[in-house]
């Protein structure tokens, strides 16, 4: 029997799930997971969170919120492998083994690390590594371990993660070449940049820019956030450009073709920003409300979420355990 294609992706648990996560990662991953020939591995990258924050409550609350979010969006824990990274210690063990054959020079070239160094250089800091942790430096190895631990075939990620996938392939090839074939060389599936949502300030929606629209806020707060979206100062009645307009880009991401056409028409006819924002709010509200209802229901049952993740980790370890066993043997860590 040919085995299913393994698709694996994770979300770092250092923020509140936002509509960009939903539209760009969570919903597409769930719909992929429902395909017959796919085995999906969807996980909470909670150890990655420590790279971004030292606030234990943030990591903990975010893990729960993102778990509940996946479930609210329709993830079926029976047909996918849904787990918390920290519940599968094999990943951390593999990360060490991989770090012992990864060139430091490879990590010196990682974008995130280089950006941190260049920030220090801009500030004329004495030490270019000032404030940079080993966690940040080693991050691509932990990500490689996440992926290789399950011999994933495909890894759907945003453009910003492309280099990490290249590094993962590099590391896997190096291992296979030195010790003998163990790892599948994973393919990155890079999401379409045109699908990336802008945040309320017009930059890419991202928790690092603090410009997100959280997925499950109530309708009043949603309205307030939508009203904050940056626009230009054109008056009602003046024709407006849809190109590069944040309100329009967000509208377009959730609207039907018909709705998009009619909004384009309204822009030409000088719709006021207030009215355009009202329409965006109504559209988002309609999109979010069924998920929000489910989210609120699931959030009340922490035991269910915990149990689901524990069972998911058991399932995950049935896959990781034999792979780690063979890795350990290959590197010479085995019984006498
Ligand atoms: N680094 C990814 C991000 O910030 C999250 C992540 C961690 C991930 N491990 C992964 C994604 C493994 C895919 C596969 O978006």
């Amino acid at each position: 029997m040919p085995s299913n294609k393994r698709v694996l992706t994770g979300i770092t648990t250092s923020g509140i799930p936002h509509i960009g996560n939903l539209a760009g990662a969570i919903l597409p991953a769930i719909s992929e997971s429902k395909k017959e020939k796919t085995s999906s591995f969807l996980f909470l990258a909670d150890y990655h969170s420590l790279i971004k924050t030292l606030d234990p409550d943030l990591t903990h609350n975010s893990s729960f919120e993102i778990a509940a979010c996946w479930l609210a969006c329709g993830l079926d824990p029976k047909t996918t492998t849904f787990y918390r990274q920290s519940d599968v210690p094999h990943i951390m063990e593999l990360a060490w083994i991989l770090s012992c054959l990864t060139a430091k020079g490879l990590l010196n070239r990682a974008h995130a690390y280089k950006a941190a160094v260049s920030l220090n250089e801009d500030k004329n800091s004495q030490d270019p590594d000032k404030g940079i942790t080993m966690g940040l430096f080693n991050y691509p190895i932990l990500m490689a371990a996440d992926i290789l631990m399950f011999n994933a075939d495909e890894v759907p990620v945003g453009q910003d993660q492309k280099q990490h996938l290249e590094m993962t392939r590099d590391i896997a090839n190096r291992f296979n070449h030195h010790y003998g074939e163990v790892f599948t060389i994973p393919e990155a599936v890079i999401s379409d940049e045109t699908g990336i949502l802008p945040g309320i300030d017009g930059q890419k929606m991202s928790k690092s820019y603090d410009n997100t629209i959280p997925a499950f806020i109530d309708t009043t707060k949603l309205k307030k956030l939508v009203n904050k979206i940056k626009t230009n100062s054109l008056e009602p009645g003046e024709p407006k450009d849809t190109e590069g307009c944040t309100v329009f880009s967000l509208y377009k991401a959730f609207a039907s073709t018909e709705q998009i056409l009619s909004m384009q028409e309204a822009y030409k006819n000088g719709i006021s920003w207030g009215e355009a924002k009202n329409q965006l709010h109504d559209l988002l509200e309609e999109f979010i409300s069924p998920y929000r209802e489910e989210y609120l229901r699931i959030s009340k049952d922490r035991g269910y979420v915990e149990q689901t993740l524990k069972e998911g980790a058991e399932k995950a370890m049935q896959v990781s355990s034999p792979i780690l066993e063979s890795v350990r043997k290959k590197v010479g860590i085995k019984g006498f």
Side-chain angles (χ1 to χ4, degrees):
M1 192 183 77
S3 57
N4 281 350
K5 177 176 78 174
R6 280 192 194 150
V7 180
L8 176 146
T9 200
I11 296 186
T12 302
T13 61
S14 56
I16 305 172
H18 57 75
I19 61 169
N21 298 139
L22 243 63
I26 294 177
L27 293 171
I30 290 173
S31 86
E32 175 76 27
S33 76
K34 303 209 189 284
K35 292 188 187 155
E36 208 158 294
K37 297 227 153 46
T38 304
S39 290
S40 282
F41 290 73
L42 304 172
F43 73 101
L44 308 167
D46 54 353
Y47 272 131
H48 284 266
S49 175
L50 306 190
I51 300 166
K52 306 208 171 169
T53 175
L54 296 180
D55 175 352
D57 290 336
L58 177 59
T59 296
H60 186 247
N61 295 337
S62 170
S63 296
F64 181 77
E65 284 159 13
I66 293 174
C69 175
W70 277 108
L71 293 167
C73 289
L75 177 149
D76 180 356
K78 290 197 187 65
T79 56
T80 58
T81 305
F82 176 50
Y83 56 100
R84 201 162 30 194
Q85 182 186 35
S86 59
D87 284 336
V88 182
H90 298 157
I91 299 168
M92 300 313 290
E93 200 172 331
L94 179 62
W96 174 256
I97 296 171
L98 297 180
S99 78
C100 294
L101 87 168
T102 303
K104 175 173 174 286
L106 182 76
L107 299 184
N108 285 341
R109 292 190 285 278
H111 298 322
Y113 171 65
K114 274 172 55 180
V117 169
S118 105
L119 217 63
N120 281 332
E121 285 167 353
D122 290 349
K123 287 190 213 142
N124 289 324
S125 166
Q126 295 276 349
D127 176 8
D129 283 324
K130 186 166 186 233
I132 299 175
T133 63
M134 286 308 295
L136 177 78
F137 189 71
N138 283 332
Y139 160 37
I141 299 181
L142 182 54
M143 185 151 160
D146 290 332
I147 297 166
L148 301 179
M149 192 68 272
F150 298 95
N151 272 340
D153 297 294
E154 287 184 5
V155 183
V157 281
Q159 180 71 30
D160 61 329
Q161 299 293 317
K162 194 169 163 216
Q163 190 195 30
H164 294 142
L165 262 294
E166 283 158 10
M167 290 181 165
T168 301
R169 291 166 59 91
D170 239 47
I171 295 169
N173 274 318
R174 193 167 172 133
F175 187 99
N176 287 349
H177 186 252
H178 186 83
Y179 291 114
E181 294 287 320
V182 176
F183 295 123
T184 303
I185 310 301
E187 298 286 339
V189 180
I190 309 288
S191 50
D192 183 2
E193 281 295 282
T194 57
I196 287 194
L197 294 189
I200 57 171
D201 61 357
Q203 300 186 79
K204 171 188 163 189
M205 188 179 290
S206 161
K207 57 194 166 204
S208 357
Y209 299 143
D210 198 18
N211 64 359
T212 68
I213 301 181
F216 306 117
I217 44 176
D218 63 45
T219 186
T220 324
K221 290 204 179 103
L222 179 63
K223 186 130 205 168
K224 276 198 187 139
L225 268 182
V226 169
N227 283 334
K228 273 202 204 157
I229 296 173
K230 239 191 187 159
T231 56
N232 56 31
S233 53
L234 289 175
E235 297 289 333
E238 290 187 83
K240 295 174 179 66
D241 204 350
T242 54
E243 196 64 35
C245 171
T246 307
V247 176
F248 184 78
S249 302
L250 286 169
Y251 188 85
K252 194 174 156 200
F254 298 95
S256 65
T257 319
E258 217 170 279
Q259 287 171 314
I260 296 171
L261 286 172
S262 104
M263 189 56 113
Q264 278 167 334
E265 203 47 36
Y267 266 60
K268 272 190 215 145
N269 295 332
I271 187 173
S272 70
W273 287 127
E275 181 49 28
K277 285 178 176 179
N278 274 343
Q279 291 199 26
L280 174 60
H281 167 265
D282 293 350
L283 184 74
L284 289 178
E285 175 61 25
E286 191 185 318
F287 166 77
I288 288 172
S289 62
Y291 298 121
R292 180 167 54 209
E293 222 166 274
E294 222 12 47
Y295 178 82
L296 293 174
R297 191 183 65 78
I298 292 168
S299 295
K300 290 198 188 95
D301 195 350
R302 297 181 78 87
Y304 165 74
V305 176
E306 182 62 27
Q307 180 64 21
T308 302
L309 287 170
K310 280 276 160 12
E311 285 168 12
E314 288 296 319
K315 228 159 98 180
M317 283 192 280
Q318 281 169 20
V319 176
S320 59
S321 187
I323 298 175
L324 185 64
E325 202 43 47
S326 101
V327 168
R328 289 172 56 133
K329 276 203 188 117
K330 292 268 190 205
V331 303
I333 307 283
K334 54 185 174 181
F336 297 126

